[in-house]
Amino acid sequence: MTNTCVVGLQWGDEGKGKIIDILAKDYDIIVRYQGGGNAGHTLIIDDEKFIFHLIPSGILHPDKKCVIGNGIVFDPRLFLDEVAGLSKRNISVNGNLFVSDRAHVVFPYHKKLDLLIEKQKGNSMIGTTGRGIGPCYTDKVARDGIRVAELLHKEHFKEKLKKTVEEKNRLFVDLYKDEPVSWEEIYEEYCVYAEKISPFVCDTVDLMAKAIDDNKKILFEGAQGALLDVDFGTYPYTTSSNASAGGVSPGIGVSPKQIHDIIGITKAYATRVGSGPFPTEIDGEQGEHIRKKGGEFGSTTGRPRRCGWFDAVAIRHSVRISGVDSLIVTKLDVLDDQETIRICTGYKNDKKVYHNFPADLDVLENCEPIYEEVSGWMEDTSNVRDVKDLPGKAMDYIRTIEEIIGLKVKMVSVGPERLQIVSI
Ligand code: GDP
Ligand code: IMO
Ligand code: MG
């Protein structure tokens, strides 16, 4: 029995959803353990597109269990929308989708705060997804949050919500000079949600423990990417959770000993959405071309993603903090028409050369990347299904990545469709 964790090694959107969907057939349970509605995981199957924000990307496999762990900040409205979207497409979630009773609930005041805090930051805004992620995790750590289990106890929920909203309204009115929110309206709305989500809610600690006892195979689905990890990413331009493999244990309540294999996902280049340093960012027409060819627009917010070259300094950092065992490289096809491809192997700043990812944002913002260049393959790879058919120069590029990162690449993705995958 091997349990596997899949994590993003960049600033999110590496194609984790597509890979989870492909891997899911070999597992019994697929688990989301951190993040929330900020995630947008895209699956394309026979021209049909699915984007999951909260529901694990294994849900299209009817015989698998999908679990939303306690480490998730859970937006019931978004969840119910996703469930409704699936049932419209005749995909049943009854009996195979579970939500932790310990997950923290996202409320409208979290989203409102998210937007107000961003506005107040002005030029230094993080560029959040506006899904209330930061404020909800803030309440959790401050021990002011409301958990799913509490939502299901009407009287208790009423009292706690009233008190919490009173405090939030002091912020809205006195600090932000904005409109207050009504606890009664939220209460009514969330009582309806409580009833609708209750069939999905359970003690996922118990569910996972029993699954482990029964030798079930578990696939842990990371959201975001290591460079958005609140501890190891480009703080404060990060999300508010641990997006590296270390997030699994606190995010679902299984021992770290239960993670046997860690797969890191990286694009063949790099993207980032939102603000923050991005040493290998490509400006101008070339960046625009990659954005268009790669369809690099946010799955959650639709914002254009910034595009850049593969950054081996950043990826090695991500590999270290998660203890990644192997790599999957996605979006190779997007580089099909690049004559020359660059890989960043170091950063130069003030005559100093960095091979480790620096904590100091000043260094990241002002460094000059040191590039190694490889020649492009200038051939369409999107129809390749067998490694033998990959152009020699594309294979050279993959081998260069393996060498620089020090890990094997076990799959290459050559298009958004489920079948556009090459095992190596
Ligand atoms: P995630 O958040 O890591 O699951 O990634 P997203 O779904 O946000 O973004 C990845 C985008 O790239 C989606 O639009 C996918 O459909 C698409 N995609 C995934 N793999 C490939 C690939 O190999 N090639 C191309 N061209 N697109 C891909
Ligand atoms: P998936 O799982 C890409 C980014 C936001 C912003 C920062 C903080 O699809 O890879 P937040 O709303 O979390 O407070 O925003 O993090 N961000 C993502 N970028 N993919 C994601 O998720 C992201 N989730 C958050 O753009 O820069
Ligand atoms: Mg995404």
Side-chain angles (χ1 to χ4, degrees):
M1 181 229 8
T2 306
N3 300 331
T4 301
C5 175
V6 170
V7 283
L9 300 179
Q10 299 169 307
W11 285 281
D13 303 329
E14 296 88 351
K16 300 174 292 292
K18 167 177 168 163
I19 300 301
I20 292 285
D21 169 61
I22 290 172
L23 299 178
K25 65 177 185 339
D26 296 325
Y27 294 83
D28 302 299
I29 304 184
I30 299 91
V31 176
R32 274 280 311 273
Y33 55 90
Q34 47 71 232
N38 49 353
H41 296 181
T42 315
L43 277 59
I44 300 183
I45 296 149
D46 297 333
D47 289 336
E48 243 199 289
K49 187 173 186 172
F50 299 83
I51 300 179
F52 297 115
H53 302 287
L54 285 169
I55 295 182
S57 302
I59 196 72
L60 301 184
H61 299 258
D63 52 333
K64 313 293 176 188
K65 283 186 176 166
C66 285
V67 182
I68 296 175
N70 57 281
I72 295 283
V73 283
F74 181 76
D75 182 339
R77 185 195 305 183
L78 186 59
F79 172 77
L80 291 167
D81 280 352
E82 275 184 37
V83 168
L86 284 171
S87 81
K88 246 194 219 158
R89 295 157 98 159
N90 291 323
I91 295 157
S92 163
V93 293
N94 292 331
N96 59 345
L97 180 59
F98 304 87
V99 176
S100 167
D101 52 3
R102 290 181 171 85
H104 279 253
V105 180
V106 177
F107 287 95
Y109 52 79
H110 290 129
K111 293 183 200 169
K112 187 174 166 96
L113 257 180
D114 197 352
L115 300 178
L116 287 170
I117 293 169
E118 282 284 89
K119 199 167 147 201
Q120 200 192 36
K121 282 186 197 285
N123 283 342
S124 56
M125 63 155 46
I126 293 166
T128 71
T129 58
R131 296 283 175 111
I133 305 298
C136 188
Y137 276 120
T138 302
D139 277 359
K140 169 178 174 171
V141 177
R143 289 145 302 168
D144 281 331
I146 298 178
R147 302 202 291 180
V148 167
E150 294 172 279
L151 190 62
L152 303 187
H153 289 282
K154 268 190 163 181
E155 278 316 305
H156 167 88
F157 172 49
K158 191 178 195 172
E159 287 314 306
K160 190 152 177 185
L161 180 72
K162 199 169 157 191
K163 197 168 143 284
T164 308
V165 169
E166 268 166 22
E167 282 165 20
K168 298 299 175 204
N169 278 342
R170 252 180 266 143
L171 281 180
F172 291 142
V173 175
D174 298 343
L175 184 65
Y176 293 104
K177 313 293 177 210
D178 205 276
E179 296 297 314
V181 296
S182 148
W183 74 265
E184 289 97 335
E185 279 175 25
I186 299 176
Y187 179 67
E188 266 178 41
E189 181 184 345
Y190 275 65
C191 280
V192 176
Y193 297 154
E195 205 157 300
K196 290 189 177 166
I197 65 167
S198 74
F200 300 99
V201 176
C202 71
D203 177 357
T204 53
V205 171
D206 186 50
L207 183 132
M208 295 305 294
K210 286 184 174 140
I212 289 166
D213 283 349
D214 291 345
N215 277 324
K216 298 290 182 202
K217 285 186 76 179
I218 306 161
L219 182 59
F220 301 102
E221 174 177 1
Q224 290 83 52
L227 305 176
L228 288 172
D229 183 289
V230 67
D231 283 289
F232 300 106
T234 47
Y235 187 88
Y237 297 99
T238 60
T239 190
S240 303
S241 64
N242 285 115
S244 41
V248 169
S249 213
I252 184 64
V254 302
S255 160
K257 288 185 288 189
Q258 296 300 334
I259 312 166
H260 311 118
D261 181 33
I262 300 174
I263 302 175
I265 315 286
T266 169
K267 287 179 185 174
Y269 49 100
T271 63
R272 154 159 227 175
V273 58
S275 329
F278 186 3
T280 64
E281 185 164 10
I282 308 169
D283 295 321
E285 247 173 57
Q286 196 173 20
E288 185 63 35
H289 176 78
I290 292 177
R291 174 159 43 249
K292 274 213 187 106
K293 190 158 182 355
E296 295 296 1
F297 297 89
S299 312
T300 299
T301 59
R303 290 177 294 174
R305 296 176 183 146
R306 300 153 67 193
C307 298
W309 296 114
F310 185 91
D311 184 341
V313 182
I315 300 281
R316 277 195 302 252
H317 170 73
S318 303
V319 160
R320 276 180 166 178
I321 58 177
S322 282
V324 171
D325 295 300
S326 62
L327 303 175
I328 293 180
V329 175
T330 59
K331 306 195 93 158
L332 189 76
D333 55 299
V334 178
L335 298 184
D336 282 352
D337 58 2
Q338 294 292 325
E339 270 175 33
T340 306
I341 296 167
R342 301 173 114 188
I343 298 180
C344 170
T345 56
Y347 305 144
K348 212 188 277 174
N349 183 278
D350 254 355
K351 294 188 191 125
K352 197 174 160 195
V353 173
Y354 292 80
H355 292 287
N356 291 330
F357 196 69
D360 186 344
L361 292 200
D362 255 9
V363 174
L364 279 173
E365 262 152 15
N366 299 309
C367 70
E368 191 191 318
I370 302 166
Y371 284 116
E372 195 172 291
E373 291 193 342
V374 298
S375 75
W377 43 96
M378 303 299 283
E379 252 181 78
D380 181 5
T381 57
S382 65
N383 294 314
V384 175
R385 300 289 175 271
D386 191 311
V387 64
K388 291 196 305 291
D389 301 325
L390 268 180
K393 283 180 178 166
M395 209 51 223
D396 290 347
Y397 182 53
I398 297 297
R399 294 296 178 220
T400 307
I401 289 177
E402 287 185 329
E403 220 167 276
I404 291 179
I405 305 300
L407 288 175
K408 283 277 167 221
V409 172
K410 56 198 267 174
M411 278 184 203
V412 175
S413 172
V414 291
E417 279 270 346
R418 188 190 252 175
L419 298 176
Q420 289 178 298
I421 194 86
V422 182
S423 293
I424 296 207

